[in-house]
């Protein structure tokens, strides 16, 4: 007797997640405030693992109470669900706290190209303010002759600076 009914592809029926695929998919998840940066560039994406067929995604906010985290979490679920991964859990891990050192070299380059000065690499923990002695390089001309205009830039994560050489104002990613 011939087989009847629809043949379901085993792939569609039982899609086993693997860590590399999830990492590749999560490249679509950007910081809502700085869309050129993925959560991996930012160092917000801490871990991807598969436990009993379930995808666990671990994220750490750049600072506690960062309003972007809910949007990031929703986007992780959406991107993975769209690829057929239903068994997903996003875990927010607050300790150890995010540090500017977790931002990738690629992330720093993208920030600069976007016109935002990347955070000074001093291993400062989230919550530490850029003080007056922090050397902030102008993302446009590279000058270190810059001054802070305001502690608050376009979002809570940025401070407003101005370059005294090219005279352009710019945002500094201050990571508080
Ligand atoms: Zn400049």
């Amino acid at each position: 007797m011939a087989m009847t009914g629809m043949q379901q592809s085993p792939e569609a029926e039982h899609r086993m997640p693997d860590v590399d695929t999830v990492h590749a998919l999560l490249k679509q998840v950007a910081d809502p405030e700085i869309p050129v940066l993925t959560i991996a560039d930012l160092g917000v994406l801490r871990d991807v693992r598969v436990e009993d067929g379930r995808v666990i995604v671990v994220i750490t906010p750049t600072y506690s109470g960062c309003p972007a985290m809910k949007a990031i979490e929703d986007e992780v679920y959406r991107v993975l669900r769209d690829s057929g991964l239903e068994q997903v859990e996003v875990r927010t891990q607050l300790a150890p706290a995010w540090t500017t050192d977790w931002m990738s070299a690629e992330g720093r380059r993208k920030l600069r190209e976007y016109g935002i000065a990347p955070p000074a690499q001093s291993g400062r923990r989230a919550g530490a303010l850029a003080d007056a002695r922090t050397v902030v390089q102008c993302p446009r001309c590279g000058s270190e002759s810059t001054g802070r205009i305001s502690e608050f830039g376009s979002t809570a994560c940025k401070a407003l600076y101005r370059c005294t050489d090219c005279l352009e104002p710019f945002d500094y990613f201050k990571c508080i």
Side-chain angles (χ1 to χ4, degrees), residues 138 141 163 166:
C138 170
C141 72
C163 175
C166 73

Side-chain angles (χ1 to χ4, degrees), residues 138-143 145-146 162-168 170:
C138 170
R140 290 188 176 78
C141 72
S143 169
S145 172
T146 59
R162 184 207 268 284
C163 175
T164 46
D165 282 331
C166 73
L167 303 177
E168 287 290 329
F170 63 90

Side-chain angles (χ1 to χ4, degrees), residues 29-42:
V29 182
D31 177 25
E33 289 171 358
I34 310 168
V36 291
L37 290 187
T38 69
I39 54 173
D41 290 333
L42 266 171

Side-chain angles (χ1 to χ4, degrees), residues 25-165:
L25 289 168
L26 292 182
K27 286 196 161 69
Q28 298 170 47
V29 182
D31 177 25
E33 289 171 358
I34 310 168
V36 291
L37 290 187
T38 69
I39 54 173
D41 290 333
L42 266 171
V44 160
L45 179 62
R46 299 314 299 155
D47 193 25
V48 173
R49 56 182 182 268
V50 176
E51 291 172 4
D52 301 326
R54 188 175 173 82
V55 179
I56 314 288
V57 176
V58 181
I59 54 177
T60 294
T62 53
Y63 62 101
S64 174
C66 176
M69 290 310 280
K70 180 74 177 81
I72 288 174
E73 190 179 319
D74 290 347
E75 189 64 2
V76 168
Y77 282 120
R78 191 192 63 75
V79 163
L80 298 183
R81 203 168 42 233
D82 284 358
S83 300
L85 296 172
E86 298 286 349
Q87 297 295 311
V88 176
E89 187 189 327
V90 179
R91 290 183 191 160
T92 300
Q93 180 178 288
L94 296 176
W98 183 89
T99 137
T100 54
D101 293 346
W102 292 356
M103 185 179 282
S104 69
E106 171 83 353
R108 289 170 181 279
R109 186 184 59 75
K110 286 188 197 166
L111 257 190
R112 216 173 286 121
E113 284 173 8
Y114 193 60
I116 298 174
Q121 240 166 334
S122 56
R124 284 180 308 110
R125 292 280 156 181
L129 278 167
D131 62 34
R133 289 161 301 171
T134 306
V135 175
V136 175
Q137 210 178 32
C138 170
R140 290 188 176 78
C141 72
S143 169
E144 290 186 347
S145 172
T146 59
R148 187 165 66 201
I149 300 172
S150 166
E151 191 56 64
F152 304 99
S154 54
T155 70
C157 281
K158 296 170 207 139
L160 189 62
Y161 274 69
R162 184 207 268 284
C163 175
T164 46
D165 282 331

